Amino acid sequence: MPSAGPPQPGGVPVLDTTLGWTRLHADPQVITYGRKSITLDQVEWVSYSSIQVAEKRFLFPTFYDNRWDFQ
């Protein structure tokens, strides 16, 4: 879901979304999360992992919780 807000420097966004109440924006030059930004020429490596936990409840649909960890 794209978030409303002023465009960030760097051209066309690759990612522009909101996680909780915090905006996450990435384009070919910069990654911005909330008020913190880092230009891609300063990035040495990127890592992420994801976990999906399924909670099965009797007589109710299964509930899924997705967690992402970016480093």
Side-chain angles (χ1 to χ4, degrees):
M1 172 166 80
S3 63
Q8 298 291 321
V12 178
V14 175
L15 175 69
D16 193 7
T17 189
T18 302
L19 300 173
W21 297 102
T22 307
R23 182 171 182 229
L24 173 62
H25 174 91
D27 62 41
Q29 282 77 35
V30 67
I31 297 173
T32 304
Y33 181 70
R35 295 181 181 176
K36 297 181 180 182
S37 295
I38 186 169
T39 59
L40 291 183
D41 61 351
Q42 295 176 327
V43 175
E44 293 179 14
W45 57 270
V46 175
S47 171
Y48 78 93
S49 62
S50 65
I51 299 171
Q52 184 179 52
V53 177
E55 179 184 329
K56 296 183 180 182
R57 298 175 287 173
F58 183 68
L59 297 178
F60 291 99
T62 301
F63 174 75
Y64 294 96
D65 182 28
N66 297 306
R67 296 179 189 219
W68 295 84
D69 181 32
F70 292 91
Q71 300 177 3

